[in-house]
């Protein structure tokens, strides 16, 4: 880690070290650094931010999301259990790839997560008050509208 006299740090290391030092990924750290540099308007910080931009775009809406990414929404008719399984697998894939979302899309994905938090994939584990298949489908459709 190199800390400059301007108050910013350059972090490098093994993938394991970077995962621990930057839990949201390198691209997220680069994007946050760029936003701070622009807000402060310091030429040296702006030059560093321009030299090390994020490698991937952070999607703001479902329409921007690349097909096949871990953030892509499922299309078609899936059971609630299949949707939940695919959702969790896709979110893991998105995290592993360092895919980023922001603004309204980050909120939407958070809301889907909260719906799934109360949805038992195994119907035998369903308790009164749990989200049903129909409620999950309706909730996700409402969010996407």
């Amino acid at each position: 880690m190199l800390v400059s006299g301007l108050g910013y740090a350059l972090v490098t290391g093994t993938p394991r070290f970077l995962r621990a030092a930057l839990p949201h990924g390198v691209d997220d750290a680069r994007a946050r650094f760029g936003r701070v540099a622009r807000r402060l308007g310091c030429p040296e910080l702006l030059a560093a931010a321009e030299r090390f931009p994020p490698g991937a775009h952070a999607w703001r809406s479902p329409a921007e999301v690349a097909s096949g990414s871990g953030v892509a929404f499922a299309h078609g008719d899936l059971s609630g259990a299949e949707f939940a399984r695919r959702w969790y697998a896709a979110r893991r894939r998105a995290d592993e790839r360092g895919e980023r979302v922001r603004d309204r899309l980050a909120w939407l994905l958070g809301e889907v997560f909260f719906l799934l938090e109360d949805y038992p994939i195994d119907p035998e584990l369903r308790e009164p008050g749990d989200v049903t298949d129909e409620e999950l489908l309706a909730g996700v459709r409402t969010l996407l509208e």
Side-chain angles (χ1 to χ4, degrees), residues 104 107-108 115 135-145:
R104 181 117 174 107
W107 178 83
L108 283 170
L115 274 172
E135 291 169 333
L136 178 62
L137 176 63
V140 171
R141 282 188 175 153
T142 298
L143 288 168
L144 290 176
E145 290 171 0

Side-chain angles (χ1 to χ4, degrees), residues 1-3 9-12 17 21:
M1 178 183 294
L2 171 69
V3 179
L10 174 65
V11 178
T12 188
F17 172 80

Side-chain angles (χ1 to χ4, degrees), residues 94-141:
D95 285 343
E96 290 166 1
R97 294 178 181 174
E99 296 175 359
R100 297 180 306 118
V101 295
R102 56 189 284 205
D103 301 338
R104 181 117 174 107
L105 183 55
W107 178 83
L108 283 170
L109 295 177
E111 292 298 306
V112 172
F113 174 79
F114 291 131
L115 274 172
L116 287 170
E117 193 171 47
D118 293 328
Y119 174 81
I121 293 175
D122 183 346
E124 292 190 18
L125 299 177
R126 188 172 314 272
E127 297 178 354
D130 284 343
V131 172
T132 65
D133 286 355
E134 295 77 21
E135 291 169 333
L136 178 62
L137 176 63
V140 171
R141 282 188 175 153

Side-chain angles (χ1 to χ4, degrees), residues 50-63:
E50 288 174 8
R51 186 158 181 216
F52 300 102
H57 175 71
W59 300 304
R60 291 180 153 177
S61 71

